[in-house]
Amino acid sequence: MDQDPQNTVAAPELPAEAPSPPQYRHTSQRGFIAEWTVTIILLLFGTTTLVQAFVIPTGSMEDTLLIGDHLLVDKLAYSPGGPASSHILPYRDVKRGDIIVFRYPVDIRQTFVKRAIGVAGDHIKLVHKQLVLNGHPVNEPYVYHKTEYLDSYRDDFPSDPNVHVSQGALDMLTNHVKDGEVVVPPGYVFAMGDNRDSSLDSRYWGFVPRENIIGKPLIIYWSYDAPTEALADPSISIEHLLDLVTHFPTKTRWKRTLNLIHGYPLN
């Protein structure tokens, strides 16, 4: 499958018993029936204006989204509703815990997928890998930690960077930290990967401008076990084509096909 670079969710990786979580309340996002209704409409009538296809080439959102997951992204989800359309389509703003697709602030030619952790006005910090949001530790059942060791910047954030960070991150650390917490400014979102120890995210490049957000992943329409090199390449290689022809039945993750993608409410 030929992928344009702008249609690849490129989320580069870095080198290197809590109480039972509450059941997801559908009142905090579209209900099950509404989700499937919108999905069917987009599948039948959607164009690139309404829905767009993306592929996950790296593991920064494991185990929520896997390398080789092919997604359809709802581009209407966060669009501002008009006088009539706002009563018909379920437009809404980004909420904490949503999975979002957006233009990478450092290079808008690249497209990333992460989880929205904080919205305007939120206070955020990490203490030994534990997310503290607005003064309260948060249960994150979706988070995956690959490493047991603590990194002085990655896991106790914000602090002095021990790796190269972009200018946006430096601005965030200089101008948007209060009492040891990052404060999200109006018009921005703070985002992190679920594979928390191996995600290049807002800790390293700063906030996501609201206008950079394209939409929300809606459904996994196909999942194929392929390496990052094959999926990140904008042009399909002969090797990848041969792999598809030879291993399509065995490398397709059939259980993930047509799975809806949901966020998780963070309070």
Side-chain angles (χ1 to χ4, degrees), residues 5-6 8 10-12 102-112:
Q6 294 187 354
T8 299
F102 55 93
R103 302 294 182 194
Y104 179 32
V106 176
D107 180 1
I108 62 171
R109 294 172 298 178
Q110 299 184 52
T111 307
F112 279 19

Side-chain angles (χ1 to χ4, degrees), residues 31-197:
F32 180 79
I33 295 176
E35 287 280 4
W36 270 110
T37 300
V38 172
T39 301
I40 292 170
I41 290 173
L42 292 177
L43 286 173
L44 291 176
F45 307 108
T47 65
T48 54
T49 304
L50 305 177
V51 64
Q52 198 163 345
F54 293 88
V55 61
I56 303 292
T58 72
S60 70
M61 281 295 289
E62 291 177 343
D63 286 334
T64 305
L65 298 173
L66 305 181
I67 297 173
D69 280 352
H70 291 67
L71 318 175
L72 291 180
V73 174
D74 179 1
K75 298 174 70 174
L76 291 177
Y78 304 125
S79 300
S85 61
S86 60
H87 298 288
I88 301 172
L89 296 172
Y91 298 115
R92 64 176 179 81
D93 207 349
V94 178
K95 295 182 179 179
R96 304 180 202 96
D98 285 355
I99 299 174
I100 57 174
V101 176
F102 55 93
R103 302 294 182 194
Y104 179 32
V106 176
D107 180 1
I108 62 171
R109 294 172 298 178
Q110 299 184 52
T111 307
F112 279 19
V113 59
K114 302 289 180 185
R115 191 178 297 270
I117 299 299
V119 295
D122 283 342
H123 292 234
I124 297 166
K125 66 179 179 179
L126 293 171
V127 180
H128 294 359
K129 298 182 186 283
Q130 169 67 58
L131 172 64
V132 178
L133 179 63
N134 296 323
H136 301 286
V138 174
N139 178 43
E140 295 186 281
Y142 48 79
V143 164
Y144 171 40
H145 290 291
K146 274 190 172 182
T147 64
E148 295 183 0
Y149 70 88
L150 291 175
D151 181 88
S152 62
Y153 180 74
R154 179 193 69 190
D155 302 322
D156 286 290
F157 174 87
S159 57
D160 293 331
N162 53 20
V163 294
H164 172 75
V165 298
S166 74
Q167 186 58 45
L170 293 175
D171 176 76
M172 172 182 66
L173 295 170
T174 302
N175 300 312
H176 299 283
V177 174
K178 181 179 180 181
D179 298 328
E181 298 177 318
V182 165
V183 182
V184 184
Y188 293 87
V189 171
F190 185 92
M192 289 195 289
D194 290 357
N195 188 354
R196 196 59 54 82
D197 298 344

